[in-house]
Amino acid sequence: MADHHRDNRGVLGGSGFGDRGYGGDHGQQQQHYQQKQPAMMCALKAATAATAGGSMLVLSALIMAGTVIALTVATPVLVIFSPVIVPAIIALALMAAGFVTSGGLGIAALSVFSWMYKYLTGKHPPGADQLDDAKARLASKARDIKEAAQHRVEQVQQG
């Protein structure tokens, strides 16, 4: 076998991805690489770029034309039906909001009635202790106010 002269920079003389070369100028290495790159490869790259760019340009033009045609057809329909469509949409939105609100309030009312039934039948629903404590504090405060009022009435009658 013939002994071929090869350096560590690869077949075409360019450096690898992470290799910076032998301390030479990077611009000279790239120029050397471009000189060795065949003209057919450059033509293939240019043809591929032109094909991809041209097809994307044609596709965008078709989409633009379709959008213009759709707007041209839809605009009179929207103008004719807008006096009907806009109030109908507003009415449907209000009705939906009303149904959702009434349903939520109905569920809340049923929950409250269920809690009250459990409390009044002697079962111990969550929060019953807090209600009993509040009732006791309210009764205590009412007694204090009643006693203070009676005391003042007695002072006025004596004085």
Side-chain angles (χ1 to χ4, degrees):
M1 280 187 148
D3 197 2
H4 293 284
H5 177 67
R6 293 183 127 192
D7 58 6
N8 290 335
R9 291 183 290 175
V11 176
L12 296 175
S15 62
F17 287 105
D19 189 18
R20 292 285 181 193
Y22 295 118
D25 188 20
H26 183 68
Q28 287 177 350
Q29 289 177 356
Q30 192 167 0
Q31 187 179 20
H32 180 67
Y33 176 73
Q34 286 177 352
Q35 287 172 354
K36 288 198 172 189
Q37 188 176 16
M40 186 66 149
M41 194 64 142
C42 287
L44 186 60
K45 286 181 181 179
T48 304
T51 304
S55 62
M56 288 182 195
L57 188 63
V58 168
L59 187 61
S60 68
L62 287 174
I63 291 173
M64 176 78 139
T67 303
V68 169
I69 290 170
L71 280 174
T72 305
V73 170
T75 300
V77 173
L78 289 175
V79 168
I80 290 170
F81 289 113
S82 67
V84 175
I85 292 174
V86 172
I89 290 173
I90 291 172
L92 286 175
L94 289 174
M95 286 175 27
F99 281 125
V100 168
T101 303
S102 71
L105 291 175
I107 290 172
L110 288 175
S111 299
V112 168
F113 284 135
S114 170
W115 188 91
M116 286 174 38
Y117 176 77
K118 288 177 185 176
Y119 182 76
L120 293 175
T121 56
K123 297 176 183 161
H124 197 70
D129 292 336
Q130 293 173 344
L131 183 65
D132 291 338
D133 291 343
K135 193 185 337 178
R137 279 186 276 150
L138 215 79
S140 172
K141 199 54 122 169
R143 263 187 259 112
D144 291 345
I145 292 173
K146 180 181 174 186
E147 289 173 6
Q150 284 178 349
H151 182 65
R152 293 203 182 221
V153 167
E154 290 173 2
Q155 282 179 350
V156 169
Q157 289 176 352
Q158 289 175 0

